[in-house]
Amino acid sequence: MQDNLMDKIMEEVMKKVGDSSAPEEKTEAPKAAPKACGLTEYVGTAIGETIGLVIANVDYGLHEAMKLDKKYRSIGIVGARTGAGPHIFAADEAVKATNTEIISIELPRDTQGGAGHGSLIIFGAEDVSDARRAVEVTLKELDRTFGDVYGNAAGHLEFQYTARASYALEKAFGAEVGKAFGITVGAPAAIGVLMADTAVKAANVDVVGYASPGNGGTSYSNEVILFLSGDSGAVRQSIIAAREVGKQLIEAMGGPAPSSTTPYI
Amino acid sequence: MQDNLMDKIMEEVMKKVGDSSAPEEKTEAPKAAPKACGLTEYVGTAIGETIGLVIANVDYGLHEAMKLDKKYRSIGIVGARTGAGPHIFAADEAVKATNTEIISIELPRDTQGGAGHGSLIIFGAEDVSDARRAVEVTLKELDRTFGDVYGNAAGHLEFQYTARASYALEKAFGAEVGKAFGITVGAPAAIGVLMADTAVKAANVDVVGYASPGNGGTSYSNEVILFLSGDSGAVRQSIIAAREVGKQLIEAMGGPAPSSTTPYI
Amino acid sequence: MQDNLMDKIMEEVMKKVGDSSAPEEKTEAPKAAPKACGLTEYVGTAIGETIGLVIANVDYGLHEAMKLDKKYRSIGIVGARTGAGPHIFAADEAVKATNTEIISIELPRDTQGGAGHGSLIIFGAEDVSDARRAVEVTLKELDRTFGDVYGNAAGHLEFQYTARASYALEKAFGAEVGKAFGITVGAPAAIGVLMADTAVKAANVDVVGYASPGNGGTSYSNEVILFLSGDSGAVRQSIIAAREVGKQLIEAMGGPAPSSTTPYI
């Protein structure tokens, strides 16, 4: 009986503890239970402490302060505590699927005590229904784009891939629109360096960029990020090779590092 | 009886867990129990892991390295892990009440795993008793200025308001001295965008500034901050409107988000 | 019996909680249990969520993106979630002991929810065995260089000292090669200010530099760092005086702040 009690207590405790502690990228990204929110501007929430909002008519004074182009009356807003890659690749699908443009992408240093970023993405549209649609598509895509985010107490890995980059990836990472594009992210940054080397050796790909903690590309996150383009098969092959190496390293540091949702690459 | 035991255990556990985990802005700001510290430079501690110190005669070599004006022999120092707005608005009252000036205000990216800032504020004075008094006033005001800081596991909101801005707010945020001034802060940043729009639409106010994760104003915190001035009634009205919207959003993400102390606006 | 049960439960709970929470610099730096990792590039892990790696032949495309000097075919990589000073002083010993050079030192804003940095250090060598040796020496030195890192829930202190600085300290901090060199680090930053003043008053030392959250030297960490050189006895004396003051302050804020390993200064 004492054992049963013990189990019950531990379960209760770990539930509460899980709520109040600041875990790593992987575990801190539970699907937020969407509550009732009556505001018309509210679109929804998603994994990674993500929230989606729209403003039908941005106030003129704020328009100026935010340095928005005047042609966009309506904006869509996606913000997250945890995750930048997943959100930017999701937003890329949203831009393809809707009549919107990416106004800005900003990368706070966050992940709720983890080693990486959160994100703030703003879509511009002439009509609020387009802005809302872009936010909805982004929130929906996140379940997929968190699929190759792996984490444990030591750090996290992230991989993203698209056969055809669009304007969100061009804006954020300098991807060439219409070409295959992918990224490898390793934290702590040392792992990212070795994954980058592995990726470029694994197939015939082009290095579009390389971001490290001190070169201004990462908001001082503890990550090294490689940006790749090329033939779509080659980009995938590079990323898969990097993933294999990265997982061995992060697991040598901190034990099992499962996917946040379901791997897609 | 087992239920009683269970309750008692959970209480014990949550007490200990609260100590060792890294919660959000709201909950991580317990009033630090002031211990005996015999150093003459020690003034006290306060909410937000805040410490107050004075140096009667700053070493000449350090004076140079810190780029201090030579006329200040004495400095007062207020530093915190969690909170910048509360400390700057508190310091503003201290500057009004004492014969000191603000030398510098710096905003580390902190909040102990949360989405925002800590702070480092340095007062200059010709006499150490003035510097000490400024630190004391700041520490004492914090209980009030943490009143409109709201938080939960998803993020935090902050609102500050003064009918008459002084030199700390001018230094930190470009406020016009003598005028009503207020700020709205939302984290994750997406919430801050919508609160900013709500605030400027709610009353006839002037946008003094807008800070976002990537525009250099936030040390890469996951916040959007709006700086407002105007007629004192209008500034208050704007802030209250933003607060109403912000609370609905943060609570849709992470459940109840109570005040850190007692709301004052 | 209930008391026994209670004790047992609390023990269990705190064990699990310790695993899942994000503690401060001190406690978050357990010696990572080195697991089997079969990659030839893997060197080892160490305290502070540190990993050491080597690449025998950096890919040419990556060489360009990383802006590496072409003469280095091989690189050694040391990366950590927690700790920059300990790693840089350890790397300094590695540079003295091996035929390598420091290529780059970068300081992410990390410490897993704490107030400080992680690090990414890259050694260049013509031969991979030299690069590996440098990484091995660095990992091994960390046990010592974490000796004067002290922490609790409120923040952390760090002190480092060498009788003869070499190229890692020159690269990272502008130390003069061959001279005694030391640093004092206090977080929250307010404590660092008072420690800096104490250090320069305690002995006849030269201030090589002063880094604070907003002056670009700290990646927005919540630290003030003083860099000192001079006669080796004087530098040690300064650091010991600062340590005495710092410990009183951090313990007034957050209770006992023990060493991460064993003090060496």
Side-chain angles (χ1 to χ4, degrees):
Chain A
M1 189 217 71
Q2 267 202 20
D3 271 2
N4 281 357
L5 178 61
M6 189 77 159
D7 284 352
K8 202 173 145 202
I9 288 165
M10 286 313 298
E11 195 184 299
E12 273 299 294
V13 164
M14 292 321 295
K15 227 187 309 171
K16 294 221 178 179
V17 169
D19 291 352
S20 68
S21 70
E24 285 305 301
E25 175 135 12
K26 160 59 197 51
T27 45
E28 84 206 306
K31 185 143 200 168
K35 291 193 183 184
C37 180
L39 294 171
T40 54
E41 293 90 349
Y42 177 78
V43 180
T45 58
I47 184 172
E49 299 286 9
T50 303
I51 189 166
L53 304 167
V54 290
I55 301 178
N57 251 303
V58 179
D59 179 89
Y60 182 76
L62 188 62
H63 231 283
E64 295 247 303
M66 290 178 72
K67 301 195 179 77
L68 301 180
D69 191 323
K70 270 162 202 163
K71 75 177 171 196
Y72 302 118
R73 289 170 53 223
S74 301
I75 62 172
I77 310 162
V78 174
R81 294 290 309 278
T82 291
H87 298 77
I88 296 167
F89 275 75
D92 208 53
E93 297 304 315
V95 165
K96 287 178 196 168
T98 62
N99 190 22
T100 56
E101 289 188 30
I102 295 286
I103 294 181
S104 64
I105 296 177
E106 301 182 54
L107 306 185
R109 174 72 184 85
D110 204 336
T111 50
Q112 302 167 275
H117 300 105
S119 47
L120 176 62
I121 301 175
I122 298 185
F123 297 91
E126 293 181 38
D127 193 282
V128 67
S129 65
D130 290 326
R132 177 177 290 271
R133 184 75 191 123
V135 171
E136 284 168 351
V137 172
T138 304
L139 295 181
K140 194 163 160 293
E141 283 288 316
L142 285 174
D143 233 28
R144 178 180 61 83
T145 56
F146 263 99
D148 283 289
V149 178
Y150 303 87
N152 59 24
H156 64 263
L157 310 175
E158 179 189 342
F159 308 91
Q160 301 288 350
Y161 163 80
T162 180
R164 192 171 65 83
S166 189
Y167 299 102
L169 293 170
E170 183 192 39
K171 183 93 178 184
F173 302 137
E176 195 176 324
V177 173
K179 278 188 76 173
F181 182 76
I183 66 173
T184 66
V185 182
I191 292 180
V193 176
L194 186 54
M195 294 203 311
D197 187 63
T198 306
V200 294
K201 282 173 176 166
N204 184 19
V205 288
D206 297 322
V207 175
V208 175
Y210 173 88
S212 64
N215 76 358
T218 71
S219 312
Y220 300 108
S221 78
N222 200 340
E223 300 171 311
V224 157
I225 311 175
L226 184 73
F227 306 96
L228 291 172
S229 72
D231 170 71
S232 73
V235 172
R236 277 192 80 235
Q237 195 180 325
S238 284
I239 287 171
I240 289 166
R243 185 175 62 186
E244 196 144 319
V245 163
K247 284 194 75 172
Q248 288 181 64
L249 297 173
I250 197 91
E251 294 190 346
M253 292 187 78
S259 159
S260 297
T261 57
T262 309
Y264 78 94
I265 301 173
Chain B
M1 189 218 73
Q2 267 203 18
D3 272 2
N4 280 358
L5 178 61
M6 188 77 159
D7 285 351
K8 203 172 144 199
I9 288 166
M10 287 312 299
E11 194 183 300
E12 274 299 294
V13 164
M14 293 321 296
K15 228 187 307 173
K16 293 221 179 179
V17 169
D19 291 353
S20 69
S21 69
E24 284 307 301
E25 174 134 14
K26 158 58 196 52
T27 45
E28 86 205 305
K31 186 142 200 169
K35 291 191 183 186
C37 180
L39 294 170
T40 54
E41 293 89 349
Y42 177 78
V43 180
T45 59
I47 185 171
E49 299 287 7
T50 303
I51 189 166
L53 303 167
V54 290
I55 301 178
N57 253 301
V58 178
D59 180 89
Y60 182 77
L62 188 62
H63 231 281
E64 295 248 303
M66 290 179 73
K67 301 195 179 77
L68 300 180
D69 190 324
K70 270 161 203 163
K71 75 178 173 194
Y72 302 118
R73 291 170 51 222
S74 301
I75 62 172
I77 310 162
V78 174
R81 293 291 308 279
T82 291
H87 298 77
I88 296 167
F89 275 75
D92 208 54
E93 296 305 314
V95 165
K96 287 178 196 168
T98 61
N99 190 22
T100 56
E101 290 187 29
I102 295 286
I103 294 182
S104 65
I105 295 178
E106 300 181 55
L107 306 186
R109 173 72 184 87
D110 205 337
T111 50
Q112 301 167 277
H117 299 106
S119 47
L120 176 62
I121 301 174
I122 298 185
F123 298 91
E126 293 181 38
D127 194 281
V128 68
S129 65
D130 290 325
R132 177 177 288 271
R133 183 77 191 120
V135 172
E136 284 168 352
V137 171
T138 304
L139 295 181
K140 194 161 159 294
E141 283 287 318
L142 285 175
D143 233 28
R144 178 180 63 83
T145 56
F146 263 100
D148 283 289
V149 177
Y150 303 87
N152 59 25
H156 65 262
L157 310 175
E158 180 189 341
F159 308 92
Q160 300 289 350
Y161 164 79
T162 179
R164 192 170 65 84
S166 189
Y167 298 103
L169 292 171
E170 183 191 40
K171 183 95 180 183
F173 303 137
E176 194 176 324
V177 173
K179 278 188 76 174
F181 182 77
I183 67 173
T184 67
V185 182
I191 293 180
V193 176
L194 186 54
M195 293 203 311
D197 186 65
T198 305
V200 293
K201 283 174 174 164
N204 184 21
V205 288
D206 298 321
V207 175
V208 176
Y210 173 88
S212 65
N215 77 358
T218 71
S219 313
Y220 299 107
S221 77
N222 200 340
E223 300 172 310
V224 156
I225 311 174
L226 184 73
F227 306 96
L228 291 171
S229 71
D231 170 73
S232 73
V235 173
R236 277 192 81 235
Q237 194 181 324
S238 283
I239 287 171
I240 289 166
R243 184 175 63 187
E244 195 144 320
V245 163
K247 285 194 76 171
Q248 288 180 64
L249 297 173
I250 197 92
E251 294 191 345
M253 292 186 77
S259 160
S260 297
T261 58
T262 309
Y264 77 94
I265 301 175
Chain C
M1 190 218 71
Q2 267 204 18
D3 272 2
N4 281 358
L5 178 61
M6 188 78 158
D7 285 351
K8 204 173 142 200
I9 288 166
M10 287 313 299
E11 196 182 299
E12 273 298 295
V13 164
M14 293 322 295
K15 229 188 306 174
K16 294 221 177 177
V17 169
D19 291 352
S20 69
S21 69
E24 285 306 302
E25 175 133 13
K26 161 57 195 52
T27 44
E28 85 207 301
K31 186 143 199 168
K35 291 192 183 184
C37 179
L39 295 170
T40 55
E41 293 89 348
Y42 177 79
V43 180
T45 59
I47 185 172
E49 299 287 8
T50 303
I51 190 166
L53 303 166
V54 290
I55 301 178
N57 251 302
V58 178
D59 178 89
Y60 182 77
L62 188 63
H63 230 282
E64 294 247 304
M66 290 179 73
K67 300 194 178 78
L68 301 180
D69 190 324
K70 270 162 203 162
K71 75 178 172 194
Y72 303 118
R73 290 171 51 222
S74 301
I75 62 172
I77 310 163
V78 174
R81 294 290 308 278
T82 291
H87 298 77
I88 297 167
F89 275 76
D92 208 54
E93 297 304 315
V95 165
K96 288 178 196 169
T98 63
N99 190 20
T100 56
E101 290 189 29
I102 294 287
I103 294 181
S104 65
I105 295 177
E106 300 181 55
L107 305 185
R109 173 73 185 83
D110 206 337
T111 50
Q112 301 167 277
H117 300 105
S119 48
L120 176 62
I121 301 175
I122 298 184
F123 298 90
E126 293 181 38
D127 194 281
V128 67
S129 65
D130 290 326
R132 177 177 289 273
R133 184 76 191 121
V135 171
E136 285 168 352
V137 172
T138 304
L139 295 180
K140 194 163 160 292
E141 284 287 318
L142 285 174
D143 233 27
R144 178 180 62 83
T145 56
F146 263 100
D148 283 289
V149 177
Y150 304 87
N152 59 25
H156 64 263
L157 311 175
E158 180 189 342
F159 308 91
Q160 301 289 350
Y161 163 79
T162 179
R164 192 171 64 85
S166 189
Y167 298 103
L169 293 171
E170 183 192 39
K171 183 94 179 184
F173 302 137
E176 195 176 325
V177 173
K179 278 188 76 172
F181 182 77
I183 67 173
T184 66
V185 182
I191 293 180
V193 177
L194 186 54
M195 293 203 311
D197 186 65
T198 306
V200 293
K201 282 173 174 166
N204 184 19
V205 288
D206 297 320
V207 175
V208 176
Y210 173 88
S212 64
N215 76 357
T218 71
S219 313
Y220 299 108
S221 77
N222 200 340
E223 299 171 310
V224 156
I225 311 174
L226 184 73
F227 306 96
L228 291 171
S229 71
D231 170 72
S232 73
V235 172
R236 277 192 81 236
Q237 194 180 324
S238 283
I239 287 172
I240 289 166
R243 185 174 63 186
E244 195 144 320
V245 163
K247 284 195 77 171
Q248 289 181 64
L249 296 174
I250 197 90
E251 294 190 345
M253 292 187 78
S259 161
S260 297
T261 57
T262 309
Y264 78 93
I265 300 173

